[in-house]
């Protein structure tokens, strides 16, 4: 029989997880926390969307400018030759997403699964021998190896992951409110050129290589942010029994992704006038869609027995632009928790990554529970 985690343990897990926000983007986190009591708030030309239903409506009913500066699509256009997944619209966009959805559907995930399972088997072996491991390098290799297999690339997995992280970090200020430091665009373009060299043939940049780079940036950075944070939640929140239960683990995965919200906010720009929860939206307004709050990550602790599937889905977007990698993200986290659960690892040290594109850990060192007890005795 699986025990129910105590609320104090889950609250402790939340306190640790909050550090990835408060220590990496303290001003932004303070702004979002201060405005979250209202479902929709206007601050100058920006509209902050916190509420679950307004968030969903913003992604499904408000026409969006997918190439505007400061949006995901705009960053994708600046990072490479342009015309890739995130800044397409209409027929081309749908065709690209359909092709990617096929690659990341059930059959595609099963084809890729042995790739990340090999990384898990190799990287987690030291736990069984009583040694400590850092889960961030594991997540980087897992993400890089998966991207390499998905795209048929030949670059080293760790090099791919490092280049994708550098490209995202260089471009992240396009996604955040505030001034943009000089040289940001040049640094982002240089980082992406390195990434494209690892992913694409040596014949030069093409629309296809641009798409491959954007996919790698998205897949690597969300995976590296999500996996260590989820493990910390399980360790601090006493969730390993649920992670070991094949019946509960799928719901636990959804709940962990909900409270983690690997991409905590989505920057968009309205392409036409609209209204969200009574707040007028004008064409050209910047929309800051806070996935973390829409998914109730801030006020609902994870509960695998009473999950909120509809809210959990929102961390992957909504409507026609939902993230095509959602199935793979769930499968990778499911397999990671299943592999770790027998060891019941605890967190020894955790350091926030202050330079990463997404809130996450620079290092998260864990030790198997049995190894820790034996050392203490």
């Amino acid at each position: 029989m699986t025990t129910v985690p105590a609320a104090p343990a889950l609250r402790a897990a939340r306190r640790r997880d909050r550090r990835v926000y408060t220590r990496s983007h303290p001003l932004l986190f303070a702004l979002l926390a201060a405005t979250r009591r209202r479902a929709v708030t206007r601050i100058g030309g920006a509209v902050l969307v916190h509420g679950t239903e307004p968030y969903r409506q913003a992604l499904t009913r408000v026409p969006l400018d997918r190439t505007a500066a400061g949006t995901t699509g705009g960053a994708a256009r600046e990072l490479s030759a342009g015309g890739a997944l995130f800044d397409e619209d209409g027929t081309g966009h749908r065709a690209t997403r359909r092709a990617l959805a096929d690659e990341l559907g059930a059959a595609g995930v099963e084809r890729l699964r042995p790739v990340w399972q090999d990384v898990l088997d190799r990287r987690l072996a030291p736990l069984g021998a009583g040694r400590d491991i850092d889960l961030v390098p594991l997540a980087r290799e897992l993400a890089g190896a998966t991207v390499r297999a998905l795209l048929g690339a030949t670059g080293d997995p760790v090099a791919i992951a490092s280049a994708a992280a550098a490209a995202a970090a260089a471009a992240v200020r396009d996604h955040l409110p505030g001034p943009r430091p000089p040289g940001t665009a040049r640094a982002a373009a240089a980082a992406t050129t390195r990434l494209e060299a690892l992913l694409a043939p040596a014949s030069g940049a093409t629309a296809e290589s641009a798409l491959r780079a954007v996919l790698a940036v998205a897949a690597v950075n969300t995976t590296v942010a999500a996996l260590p944070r989820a493990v910390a939640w399980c360790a601090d929140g006493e969730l390993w029994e649920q992670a070991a239960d094949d019946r509960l683990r799928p719901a636990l995965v959804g709940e962990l992704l909900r409270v983690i919200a690997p991409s905590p906010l989505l920057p968009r720009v309205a392409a036409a006038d609209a209204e969200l929860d009574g707040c007028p939206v004008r064409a050209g307004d910047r929309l800051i869609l806070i996935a973390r709050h829409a998914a109730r990550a801030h006020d609902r602790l994870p509960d695998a027995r009473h999950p909120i599937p509809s809210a959990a889905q929102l961390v992957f977007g909504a409507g026609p632009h939902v993230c095509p990698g959602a199935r793979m993200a769930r499968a990778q986290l499911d397999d990671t928790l299943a592999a770790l659960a027998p060891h019941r690892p605890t967190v020894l040290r955790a350091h926030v990554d202050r330079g990463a594109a997404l809130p996450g850990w620079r290092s998260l060192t864990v030790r198997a529970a049995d190894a820790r007890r034996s050392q203490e005795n």
Side-chain angles (χ1 to χ4, degrees):
M1 180 177 179
T2 306
T3 59
V4 178
L10 290 173
R11 286 195 290 269
R14 171 180 280 166
R15 283 195 297 273
R16 186 196 296 276
D17 194 62
R18 279 170 56 95
R19 287 165 51 193
V20 301
Y21 299 100
T22 59
R23 297 192 180 182
S24 62
H25 299 99
L27 295 179
L28 177 62
F29 184 79
L31 171 65
L32 299 184
T35 59
R36 72 187 180 200
R37 295 189 183 279
R38 298 190 62 180
V40 182
T41 301
R42 172 178 288 281
I43 301 179
V47 178
L48 279 63
V49 182
H50 299 270
T52 300
E53 192 53 34
Y55 173 95
R56 196 191 315 273
Q57 291 174 358
L59 288 170
T60 57
R61 298 184 186 179
V62 177
L64 300 174
D65 182 347
R66 300 188 61 78
T67 63
T71 67
T72 308
R77 182 176 292 278
E78 289 186 15
L79 284 179
S80 57
L85 177 70
F86 295 108
D87 65 344
E88 287 179 355
D89 218 337
T91 304
H93 177 71
R94 288 191 294 270
T96 302
R97 291 185 67 88
R98 271 199 303 271
L100 183 60
D102 290 342
E103 289 291 322
L104 295 176
V109 167
E110 289 308 309
R111 178 179 68 83
L112 293 169
R113 186 169 242 133
V115 174
W116 67 69
Q117 286 184 329
D118 174 71
V119 176
L120 288 171
D121 290 345
R122 180 165 34 82
R123 286 278 194 167
L124 294 180
L127 275 181
R131 298 201 296 273
D132 306 342
I133 65 168
D134 185 346
L135 288 171
V136 175
L138 178 154
R140 283 200 198 102
E141 183 180 354
L142 184 151
T146 303
V147 165
R148 182 177 70 166
L150 173 65
L151 300 178
T154 58
D156 175 73
V158 176
I160 289 172
S162 296
V172 71
R173 284 178 176 78
D174 263 354
H175 293 244
L176 297 176
R180 190 175 170 190
T184 296
R186 288 194 303 275
T192 306
T193 297
R194 292 194 296 273
L195 176 60
E196 289 179 343
L198 292 165
L199 298 175
S203 56
T206 64
E208 181 183 355
S209 67
L211 171 59
R212 291 157 72 89
V214 172
L215 286 175
V217 166
V220 166
N221 285 280
T222 52
T223 301
V224 174
L227 293 187
R229 287 179 62 191
V231 173
W233 265 95
C234 283
D236 295 336
E238 301 176 357
L239 296 171
W240 287 123
E241 283 193 45
Q242 294 186 3
D245 189 325
D246 292 341
R247 296 166 299 177
L248 278 178
R249 193 169 56 251
L252 176 64
V253 165
E255 284 291 278
L256 289 173
L257 288 170
R258 179 180 65 78
V259 296
I260 290 166
S263 297
L265 61 84
L266 306 180
R268 299 291 187 265
V269 170
D273 293 351
E275 183 179 288
L276 291 172
D277 197 49
C279 177
V281 175
R282 298 183 294 268
D285 279 347
R286 191 170 188 189
L287 302 178
I288 309 298
L289 311 181
I290 298 92
R292 167 180 166 80
H293 294 162
R296 306 289 301 278
H298 62 298
D299 64 358
R300 286 288 297 270
L301 292 168
D303 187 345
R305 289 184 174 79
H306 302 93
I308 318 174
S310 58
Q313 294 286 348
L314 293 180
V315 300
F316 296 107
H321 304 302
V322 69
C323 174
R327 182 190 296 269
M328 186 174 73
R330 293 189 186 95
Q332 288 180 330
L333 180 52
D334 191 293
D335 287 352
T336 300
L337 297 184
L340 282 166
H343 302 288
R344 303 295 199 272
T346 57
V347 177
L348 298 181
R349 293 178 298 279
H351 301 285
V352 172
D353 193 338
R354 299 173 188 268
L358 298 176
W361 300 107
R362 176 169 52 84
S363 65
L364 187 86
T365 305
V366 300
R367 178 181 296 169
D370 288 345
R372 186 163 188 168
R373 282 195 294 269
S374 65
Q375 291 189 13
E376 290 172 350
N377 294 333

